[in-house]
Amino acid sequence: MRATCATIHLGALRENLRRVRELAPGAKVMAVVKADGYGHGLERVARALEGADAFGVASIADGQRLRAAGASQRVVVLSGPDEAGDLAELRRLKLDAVIHHETQIELLAADADPRPLRVWLKLDTGMHRLGFAPERARDVHARLRALPSVDRDISLMTHFANSDVFDDALTTHQIERFERSVSGLDGERSLSNSAGILGWPEAQGQWVRAGGALYGISVVAGKIGADFGFRPAMTLSTRLIAINRVRRGERVGYAATWEAPEDMAVGVAAIGYGDGYPRHADFGTPVLVAGTRASLIGRVSMDLVTVDLREVPSAKIGDPVVLWGRGLAVEEIAEHADTIGYELTCGVTRRVRFVEDES
Ligand SMILES: *Cc1c(COP(=O)(O)O)cnc(C)c1O
């Protein structure tokens, strides 16, 4: 059997939730589980994080999956309804909807169903992606309140563009704009994503929305989750399936991009971009071979990567190879592949075997 495997550490997920609560003691926690729980598996993440106060998802389809898996927590669809039929589905599944656009108010206004939907009013305080202009907060809030199809208990939210830079004036500005625009309005407040929780404790409101932190991943430049007390929730691993001697001057891999500087051993590990390992990972990207750091050489191919074994002379076929996770931060790999850890965990593909681990 192909050894390529993503081990999901359920204990780490649970512990990371505890850590989020420690950092935001006055707030309820919405565990953000979009993109299949950042690639960790929606249902298994929801089970491990059953202590969360709510789940945040990107689509009604994810809400369906959570309800089918027995989740009874609040589930918030972060982009809300797209069309009239969505409202019935939101009600059937008892999902909360984020309302960020005029067209959604029109859907709600045209809705004759008397069972009120729970909504979160989203304001755009500077991200300029989703949300109403803050100047419109009062007007939109009043219009939503007046609709029989909307629950009167409306939550208020915004999203940060750059909260991972802990001294950036944009976040200060976003917090001020949000507070000004909602002052005097009823409803719980929610501003912070993971980086907001870490760097902007004044912005915790009644709800924090934690994604990356729960998976043990940091988006703060130069920092890894462990620097903030989080543990990685995924370890991606495989095994060495070949060890070859390569002579000085010979080249390794597609396009012959890497040249051996001396006679040396090259290991071949059973993982590639077909598994979601980034093709852009450069030479020198670290891997762990039987627990020892070694470097990627040559191009990443679909099913295989090649590894410089000069630092691991005792390596043998069958040795475990860790690509990221315990002992090797996904943030470090992301740096070598010019991306962020979130994209790497989200990108693990279907052919990878997922294994659950209680620790
Ligand atoms: C994805 C998302 C989050 C979580 O962000 P992290 O950086 O992963 O904590 C929070 N709020 C909204 C609206 C999101 O889309």
Side-chain angles (χ1 to χ4, degrees), residues 6 20 72-74 86 102 131 136 162 207 230 256 263 298 314 329:
V20 166
S72 57
Q73 293 85 344
R74 284 175 80 170
D86 290 348
E102 187 63 33
R136 297 189 54 202
N162 205 31
W207 284 92
F230 295 103
D263 292 2
S314 61

PDB file of all heavy atoms in Angstrom, residues 6 20 72-74 86 102 131 136 162 207 230 256 263 298 314 329:
ATOM      1  N   ALA A   6      -1.831  11.320   5.806  1.00  0.00           N
ATOM      2  CA  ALA A   6      -2.004  12.526   6.625  1.00  0.00           C
ATOM      3  C   ALA A   6      -2.559  12.084   7.971  1.00  0.00           C
ATOM      4  O   ALA A   6      -3.681  11.570   8.039  1.00  0.00           O
ATOM      5  CB  ALA A   6      -2.958  13.507   5.944  1.00  0.00           C
ATOM      6  N   VAL A  20      -7.090  28.644  22.528  1.00  0.00           N
ATOM      7  CA  VAL A  20      -7.845  29.801  22.034  1.00  0.00           C
ATOM      8  C   VAL A  20      -8.709  30.367  23.162  1.00  0.00           C
ATOM      9  O   VAL A  20      -8.767  31.584  23.369  1.00  0.00           O
ATOM     10  CB  VAL A  20      -8.708  29.427  20.803  1.00  0.00           C
ATOM     11  CG1 VAL A  20      -9.734  30.513  20.495  1.00  0.00           C
ATOM     12  CG2 VAL A  20      -7.820  29.178  19.581  1.00  0.00           C
ATOM     13  N   SER A  72     -24.652  19.719  16.691  1.00  0.00           N
ATOM     14  CA  SER A  72     -25.840  20.461  17.117  1.00  0.00           C
ATOM     15  C   SER A  72     -25.510  21.911  17.464  1.00  0.00           C
ATOM     16  O   SER A  72     -26.385  22.679  17.842  1.00  0.00           O
ATOM     17  CB  SER A  72     -26.465  19.763  18.325  1.00  0.00           C
ATOM     18  OG  SER A  72     -25.490  19.662  19.358  1.00  0.00           O
ATOM     19  N   GLN A  73     -24.248  22.284  17.328  1.00  0.00           N
ATOM     20  CA  GLN A  73     -23.841  23.659  17.625  1.00  0.00           C
ATOM     21  C   GLN A  73     -24.429  24.627  16.581  1.00  0.00           C
ATOM     22  O   GLN A  73     -24.886  24.214  15.524  1.00  0.00           O
ATOM     23  CB  GLN A  73     -22.311  23.811  17.559  1.00  0.00           C
ATOM     24  CG  GLN A  73     -21.540  23.069  18.609  1.00  0.00           C
ATOM     25  CD  GLN A  73     -21.262  21.633  18.228  1.00  0.00           C
ATOM     26  OE1 GLN A  73     -21.865  21.079  17.318  1.00  0.00           O
ATOM     27  NE2 GLN A  73     -20.361  21.008  18.957  1.00  0.00           N
ATOM     28  N   ARG A  74     -24.347  25.920  16.876  1.00  0.00           N
ATOM     29  CA  ARG A  74     -24.667  26.895  15.838  1.00  0.00           C
ATOM     30  C   ARG A  74     -23.690  26.707  14.692  1.00  0.00           C
ATOM     31  O   ARG A  74     -22.502  26.450  14.917  1.00  0.00           O
ATOM     32  CB  ARG A  74     -24.544  28.322  16.373  1.00  0.00           C
ATOM     33  CG  ARG A  74     -25.721  28.710  17.251  1.00  0.00           C
ATOM     34  CD  ARG A  74     -25.524  30.064  17.860  1.00  0.00           C
ATOM     35  NE  ARG A  74     -25.845  31.162  16.939  1.00  0.00           N
ATOM     36  CZ  ARG A  74     -25.931  32.433  17.329  1.00  0.00           C
ATOM     37  NH1 ARG A  74     -25.720  32.762  18.597  1.00  0.00           N
ATOM     38  NH2 ARG A  74     -26.227  33.369  16.453  1.00  0.00           N
ATOM     39  N   ASP A  86     -31.934  28.994  -1.076  1.00  0.00           N
ATOM     40  CA  ASP A  86     -31.018  28.799   0.058  1.00  0.00           C
ATOM     41  C   ASP A  86     -31.701  29.069   1.398  1.00  0.00           C
ATOM     42  O   ASP A  86     -31.306  28.492   2.424  1.00  0.00           O
ATOM     43  CB  ASP A  86     -29.808  29.734  -0.060  1.00  0.00           C
ATOM     44  CG  ASP A  86     -28.864  29.341  -1.192  1.00  0.00           C
ATOM     45  OD1 ASP A  86     -29.020  28.232  -1.729  1.00  0.00           O
ATOM     46  OD2 ASP A  86     -27.982  30.159  -1.528  1.00  0.00           O
ATOM     47  N   GLU A 102     -26.675  43.825  -0.293  1.00  0.00           N
ATOM     48  CA  GLU A 102     -28.044  44.271  -0.553  1.00  0.00           C
ATOM     49  C   GLU A 102     -28.909  43.164  -1.181  1.00  0.00           C
ATOM     50  O   GLU A 102     -30.081  43.006  -0.816  1.00  0.00           O
ATOM     51  CB  GLU A 102     -27.960  45.492  -1.492  1.00  0.00           C
ATOM     52  CG  GLU A 102     -29.262  46.209  -1.743  1.00  0.00           C
ATOM     53  CD  GLU A 102     -29.874  46.831  -0.492  1.00  0.00           C
ATOM     54  OE1 GLU A 102     -29.117  47.267   0.404  1.00  0.00           O
ATOM     55  OE2 GLU A 102     -31.119  46.854  -0.409  1.00  0.00           O
ATOM     56  N   GLY A 131     -19.163  42.761   2.764  1.00  0.00           N
ATOM     57  CA  GLY A 131     -19.703  43.562   3.854  1.00  0.00           C
ATOM     58  C   GLY A 131     -20.290  44.878   3.391  1.00  0.00           C
ATOM     59  O   GLY A 131     -19.943  45.395   2.334  1.00  0.00           O
ATOM     60  N   ARG A 136     -23.592  52.461   6.629  1.00  0.00           N
ATOM     61  CA  ARG A 136     -24.936  51.922   6.407  1.00  0.00           C
ATOM     62  C   ARG A 136     -25.374  50.994   7.536  1.00  0.00           C
ATOM     63  O   ARG A 136     -26.493  50.449   7.490  1.00  0.00           O
ATOM     64  CB  ARG A 136     -24.969  51.165   5.077  1.00  0.00           C
ATOM     65  CG  ARG A 136     -24.689  52.059   3.881  1.00  0.00           C
ATOM     66  CD  ARG A 136     -24.954  51.340   2.578  1.00  0.00           C
ATOM     67  NE  ARG A 136     -26.303  50.789   2.526  1.00  0.00           N
ATOM     68  CZ  ARG A 136     -26.684  49.780   1.739  1.00  0.00           C
ATOM     69  NH1 ARG A 136     -25.802  49.204   0.957  1.00  0.00           N
ATOM     70  NH2 ARG A 136     -27.933  49.364   1.736  1.00  0.00           N
ATOM     71  N   ASN A 162      -5.340  42.563   7.795  1.00  0.00           N
ATOM     72  CA  ASN A 162      -3.891  42.489   8.034  1.00  0.00           C
ATOM     73  C   ASN A 162      -3.566  42.334   9.519  1.00  0.00           C
ATOM     74  O   ASN A 162      -2.542  42.839   9.990  1.00  0.00           O
ATOM     75  CB  ASN A 162      -3.248  43.772   7.481  1.00  0.00           C
ATOM     76  CG  ASN A 162      -1.786  43.575   7.119  1.00  0.00           C
ATOM     77  OD1 ASN A 162      -1.382  42.478   6.722  1.00  0.00           O
ATOM     78  ND2 ASN A 162      -0.985  44.625   7.267  1.00  0.00           N
ATOM     79  N   TRP A 207     -17.544  37.166  20.317  1.00  0.00           N
ATOM     80  CA  TRP A 207     -17.221  35.959  19.541  1.00  0.00           C
ATOM     81  C   TRP A 207     -15.876  36.147  18.851  1.00  0.00           C
ATOM     82  O   TRP A 207     -15.667  37.160  18.174  1.00  0.00           O
ATOM     83  CB  TRP A 207     -18.243  35.745  18.412  1.00  0.00           C
ATOM     84  CG  TRP A 207     -19.557  35.209  18.825  1.00  0.00           C
ATOM     85  CD1 TRP A 207     -20.671  35.930  19.162  1.00  0.00           C
ATOM     86  CD2 TRP A 207     -19.923  33.826  18.905  1.00  0.00           C
ATOM     87  NE1 TRP A 207     -21.707  35.082  19.459  1.00  0.00           N
ATOM     88  CE2 TRP A 207     -21.274  33.781  19.307  1.00  0.00           C
ATOM     89  CE3 TRP A 207     -19.242  32.624  18.685  1.00  0.00           C
ATOM     90  CZ2 TRP A 207     -21.952  32.577  19.489  1.00  0.00           C
ATOM     91  CZ3 TRP A 207     -19.930  31.420  18.866  1.00  0.00           C
ATOM     92  CH2 TRP A 207     -21.268  31.415  19.270  1.00  0.00           C
ATOM     93  N   PHE A 230       0.434  26.675  20.169  1.00  0.00           N
ATOM     94  CA  PHE A 230      -0.436  25.745  19.434  1.00  0.00           C
ATOM     95  C   PHE A 230       0.358  24.553  18.915  1.00  0.00           C
ATOM     96  O   PHE A 230       1.565  24.650  18.698  1.00  0.00           O
ATOM     97  CB  PHE A 230      -1.108  26.469  18.257  1.00  0.00           C
ATOM     98  CG  PHE A 230      -2.041  27.554  18.702  1.00  0.00           C
ATOM     99  CD1 PHE A 230      -1.667  28.890  18.630  1.00  0.00           C
ATOM    100  CD2 PHE A 230      -3.287  27.238  19.221  1.00  0.00           C
ATOM    101  CE1 PHE A 230      -2.520  29.888  19.066  1.00  0.00           C
ATOM    102  CE2 PHE A 230      -4.147  28.234  19.660  1.00  0.00           C
ATOM    103  CZ  PHE A 230      -3.759  29.568  19.579  1.00  0.00           C
ATOM    104  N   ALA A 256      16.245  18.315 -15.297  1.00  0.00           N
ATOM    105  CA  ALA A 256      17.650  18.191 -14.901  1.00  0.00           C
ATOM    106  C   ALA A 256      18.144  19.455 -14.204  1.00  0.00           C
ATOM    107  O   ALA A 256      19.200  19.996 -14.498  1.00  0.00           O
ATOM    108  CB  ALA A 256      18.521  17.890 -16.136  1.00  0.00           C
ATOM    109  N   ASP A 263      29.779  12.561  -5.438  1.00  0.00           N
ATOM    110  CA  ASP A 263      29.124  11.250  -5.423  1.00  0.00           C
ATOM    111  C   ASP A 263      28.302  11.189  -4.135  1.00  0.00           C
ATOM    112  O   ASP A 263      28.819  11.508  -3.055  1.00  0.00           O
ATOM    113  CB  ASP A 263      30.156  10.122  -5.410  1.00  0.00           C
ATOM    114  CG  ASP A 263      30.943  10.036  -6.710  1.00  0.00           C
ATOM    115  OD1 ASP A 263      30.702  10.880  -7.610  1.00  0.00           O
ATOM    116  OD2 ASP A 263      31.801   9.144  -6.814  1.00  0.00           O
ATOM    117  N   GLY A 298      16.155  18.556  -6.741  1.00  0.00           N
ATOM    118  CA  GLY A 298      15.422  18.283  -7.979  1.00  0.00           C
ATOM    119  C   GLY A 298      13.992  18.784  -7.897  1.00  0.00           C
ATOM    120  O   GLY A 298      13.542  19.305  -6.879  1.00  0.00           O
ATOM    121  N   SER A 314      22.647   6.813   7.508  1.00  0.00           N
ATOM    122  CA  SER A 314      22.074   5.525   7.922  1.00  0.00           C
ATOM    123  C   SER A 314      20.707   5.263   7.289  1.00  0.00           C
ATOM    124  O   SER A 314      20.069   4.245   7.577  1.00  0.00           O
ATOM    125  CB  SER A 314      21.932   5.521   9.449  1.00  0.00           C
ATOM    126  OG  SER A 314      21.063   6.573   9.823  1.00  0.00           O
ATOM    127  N   ALA A 329       7.636  22.270  10.945  1.00  0.00           N
ATOM    128  CA  ALA A 329       6.476  23.166  10.859  1.00  0.00           C
ATOM    129  C   ALA A 329       6.042  23.383   9.415  1.00  0.00           C
ATOM    130  O   ALA A 329       6.862  23.663   8.540  1.00  0.00           O
ATOM    131  CB  ALA A 329       6.819  24.512  11.494  1.00  0.00           C
TER     132      ALA A 329
END
